């Protein structure tokens, strides 16, 4: 499935630490701006921009982690016992949480 959002990596524009861009062939393509009217300080704007710039990496990490947990669940089988049952429960919870985060990232409720 084709992603509907701008693929990373994203970075913070070097001369304006509030703008997040995708650099392609030496050209900065605007992704986001942490508009000053909504923040309390320059440092808050810069922190917001850093978080936005990290979003593609965090998304990929979550997606890969959910895939690894799904493989683990398949290996544990349908009715694990003892510690494996607890691992299964935790893995299922993390996958469920990831699905909610992924839906939020895709604009779904």
């Amino acid at each position: 499935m084709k992603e509907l959002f701008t693929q990373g990596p994203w970075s913070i524009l070097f001369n304006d630490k509030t703008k997040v861009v995708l650099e392609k062939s030496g050209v900065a393509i605007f992704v986001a701006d942490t508009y000053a009217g909504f923040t309390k300080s320059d440092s808050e704007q810069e922190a917001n921009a850093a978080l936005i710039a990290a979003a593609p990496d965090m998304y990929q990490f979550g997606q890969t982690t959910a895939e690894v947990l799904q493989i683990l669940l398949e290996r544990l089988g349908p009715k694990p016992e003892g510690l494996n049952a607890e691992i299964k429960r935790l893995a299922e919870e993390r996958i469920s949480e990831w699905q909610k985060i992924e839906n939020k990232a895709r604009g779904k409720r």
Side-chain angles (χ1 to χ4, degrees):
M1 174 171 64
K2 185 177 183 315
E3 299 295 352
L4 299 176
F5 42 81
T6 305
Q7 297 300 300
W10 299 347
S11 59
I12 297 172
L13 193 62
F14 70 94
N15 61 347
D16 184 343
K17 294 185 173 112
T18 67
K19 304 234 180 341
V20 179
V21 297
L22 165 69
E23 188 176 332
K24 210 173 218 178
S25 303
V27 176
I29 301 168
F30 177 76
V31 174
D33 185 358
T34 56
Y35 179 62
F38 296 112
T39 58
K40 296 176 183 147
S41 66
D42 289 346
S43 61
E44 186 176 345
Q45 272 188 275
E46 291 173 14
N48 289 341
L51 181 61
I52 293 166
D57 297 326
M58 291 190 293
Y59 182 86
Q60 185 59 50
F61 179 82
Q63 197 170 42
T64 302
T65 300
E67 290 169 7
V68 168
L69 290 173
Q70 189 60 48
I71 292 168
L72 176 64
L73 287 175
E74 290 167 9
R75 299 264 171 115
L76 288 173
K79 295 184 180 182
E81 296 179 3
L83 179 59
N84 285 344
E86 179 67 5
I87 291 169
K88 180 180 184 215
R89 183 187 67 76
L90 291 170
E92 288 171 337
E93 285 178 6
R94 299 296 84 77
I95 290 170
S96 177
E97 287 173 10
W98 169 249
Q99 289 167 339
K100 290 175 188 172
I101 293 167
E102 186 175 27
N103 285 338
K104 184 177 182 179
R106 294 177 180 278
K108 298 177 186 175
R109 301 242 173 213

